[in-house]
Amino acid sequence: AKLRHRTNRPSTRQDGAALLILLVIVIIATTGVLLNSLNRASVATERDRITAEALAQAKEALIGYAVGTRLPTSSSGSGTTTPRPGDLPCPDSDNDGDSDTPCDLQADRIGRLPWKTLGLPDLRDGHGERLWYAVSINFKKDTRTTCNFTDRSGCLNSDTRGTITVRDPSGNIINNGTDSTGTIAVVIAPGTALKRGGVTQQDRSVAGASNPQNYLDIGAGEDNAEFIDSDANGFINSLVLGVDAEGKPIVIVNDRLIAITYQDLMPK
């Protein structure tokens, strides 16, 4: 009689089961990676929304403040007042929410947004950081000459220009502080702490809270922690990429800003 070879069916079934289990594991792992990626994207979108709303709210409040500004008709600050639409508050230099005067010096015209002075809540960006603010020499409120008549030097008019330069992430000038397109103020959301210039870690402890270098970034030839009126040195908007000491890609500027122009205050 011929011998019949038995088919090894149990082994085949086991192999199939093993492949099925492996496929399930792969699907679960892939789904986990996808869900994690979607969650990160959702968090980033929500942070961007919060930041955009905070910047827009700050800009609206500054415009409202400027419209209602009045200037004393005497150099002593006493006497009647006359409207001087366009004046903006000095920044908050000690992180208490109040505008700090005077801000005649260049370094004093960049600081925290004075949210209490503007009647705002304690605005934060999507990463929980307070906003920063810089104002042009031509539009700061304190230590002004008087404005008795609209054609005098102490008054603001259509010939008064902003003196702050703003660049896009590629370094192209959007508003030029040396000509009539200059910005009169900027509000900045600092985002997460970075290594400044790809080198020095920003210190956001209490000790470093009032130093703009611990919040505002430097990159693409621009330093957001300082600016010069009527000069090419101004502010650059996010997002700017660079490389670290090992040549790995990193974010070197994540500051997001919103600009206020003369046209915002005095639309035609």
Side-chain angles (χ1 to χ4, degrees):
K2 295 182 180 180
L3 294 176
R4 295 181 180 180
H5 295 283
R6 297 180 62 185
T7 303
N8 191 9
R9 291 181 179 177
S11 177
T12 302
R13 287 197 296 269
Q14 290 173 2
D15 290 344
L19 287 173
L20 182 59
I21 292 172
L22 179 61
L23 179 60
V24 171
I25 292 173
V26 170
I27 291 174
I28 292 174
T30 302
T31 302
V33 171
L34 179 60
L35 290 175
N36 188 45
S37 177
L38 290 173
N39 183 58
R40 288 199 304 269
S42 177
V43 170
T45 299
E46 178 63 10
R47 284 175 173 169
D48 286 345
R49 182 192 66 79
I50 293 172
T51 296
E53 289 184 357
L55 290 172
Q57 192 173 354
K59 178 175 180 176
E60 182 180 0
L62 285 164
I63 292 173
Y65 180 97
V67 170
T69 297
R70 301 186 71 85
L71 186 75
T73 55
S74 67
S75 58
S76 65
S78 61
T80 60
T81 60
T82 184
R84 189 184 188 276
D87 260 338
L88 293 169
C90 290
D92 166 20
S93 64
D94 54 9
N95 199 25
D96 65 355
D98 292 316
S99 173
D100 292 304
T101 58
C103 59
D104 297 322
L105 297 178
Q106 187 81 51
D108 295 332
R109 280 184 286 104
I110 181 169
R112 302 276 188 170
L113 179 75
W115 53 275
K116 288 182 182 178
T117 301
L118 294 169
L120 289 169
D122 185 4
L123 291 181
R124 306 285 178 125
D125 67 13
H127 293 274
E129 297 290 356
R130 282 177 171 155
L131 304 181
W132 287 74
Y133 161 70
V135 61
S136 164
I137 184 71
N138 287 346
F139 289 83
K140 66 178 182 63
K141 182 179 179 180
D142 70 303
T143 319
R144 282 289 184 185
T145 55
T146 58
C147 177
N148 296 323
F149 302 98
T150 57
D151 61 346
R152 299 296 172 84
S153 61
C155 305
L156 287 178
N157 53 53
S158 59
D159 294 326
T160 309
R161 61 180 178 82
T163 56
I164 298 175
T165 295
V166 175
R167 299 175 184 270
D168 67 17
S170 298
N172 301 310
I173 292 178
I174 303 172
N175 300 97
N176 193 332
T178 68
D179 61 30
S180 60
T181 67
T183 296
I184 67 177
V186 295
V187 183
I188 310 164
T192 56
L194 300 176
K195 284 189 176 181
R196 186 168 161 80
V199 178
T200 306
Q201 183 64 44
Q202 292 173 327
D203 173 18
R204 297 192 176 177
S205 65
V206 174
S210 296
N211 184 349
Q213 291 188 359
N214 288 323
Y215 293 83
L216 307 182
D217 308 324
I218 181 172
E222 201 66 87
D223 189 344
N224 285 353
E226 60 181 43
F227 74 101
I228 301 175
D229 285 293
S230 302
D231 190 86
N233 185 17
F235 297 88
I236 190 165
N237 207 355
S238 181
L239 180 69
V240 179
L241 303 178
V243 294
D244 62 14
E246 299 177 352
K248 297 179 180 179
I250 57 171
V251 175
I252 59 174
V253 176
N254 66 0
D255 298 337
R256 287 185 57 185
L257 64 84
I258 193 168
I260 300 175
T261 65
Y262 186 86
Q263 288 71 30
D264 290 321
L265 297 185
M266 306 294 177
K268 295 181 180 179

